[in-house]
Amino acid sequence: MIVVLIPLRMGIGCGFSSTGILVNNAVPAYLLGSANGLAMTASSISRTLAPLVAGSAFAWSISKGYKHGFPLDEHFAFMLLSIVCFLAVLLSCTLPKRLNMRPSAPVKV
């Protein structure tokens, strides 16, 4: 169990930290509060809806999907989640290089 949980927790920590850094590098300093609030809102909404959608897709696939064959049988929810993860990787590869550095604009106080 430890072999599974340690990389999982490390991945979650690295994922949230890198997302926060990207959000902070994407906006000027005077919009940081709004951008972080919007990012947290989107994160909370997606963390709420993801189990609902994945659970419903899995429940449908094991109750009625077997009639339709392979893509829609009990593998449907896992294939759906794999497609979402693949799209996230593709989108992350298209991020601009300017997000690697903090914008050098003066801070308005």
Side-chain angles (χ1 to χ4, degrees):
M1 192 72 137
I2 290 175
V3 175
V4 173
L5 287 177
I6 289 176
L8 177 71
R9 296 298 177 196
M10 288 178 62
I12 290 172
C14 289
F16 279 116
S17 299
S18 62
T19 303
I21 291 170
L22 286 174
V23 167
N24 287 333
N25 288 350
V27 297
Y30 66 94
L31 292 175
L32 280 178
S34 299
N36 282 320
L38 185 62
M40 287 296 130
T41 302
S43 172
S44 297
I45 289 171
S46 64
R47 291 175 81 183
T48 301
L49 294 179
L52 176 72
V53 171
S56 297
F58 183 68
W60 176 84
S61 69
I62 60 174
S63 66
K64 295 186 174 98
Y66 65 90
K67 297 175 188 174
H68 303 290
F70 169 65
L72 301 176
D73 59 358
E74 66 271 0
H75 302 97
F76 176 67
F78 301 105
M79 291 179 67
L80 187 67
L81 293 174
S82 297
I83 291 169
V84 169
C85 289
F86 182 71
L87 289 175
V89 168
L90 283 179
L91 288 174
S92 69
C93 291
T94 64
L95 291 174
K97 296 292 182 191
R98 69 175 176 82
L99 294 180
N100 288 336
M101 294 173 281
R102 185 87 180 114
S104 58
V107 177
K108 294 182 181 180
V109 181

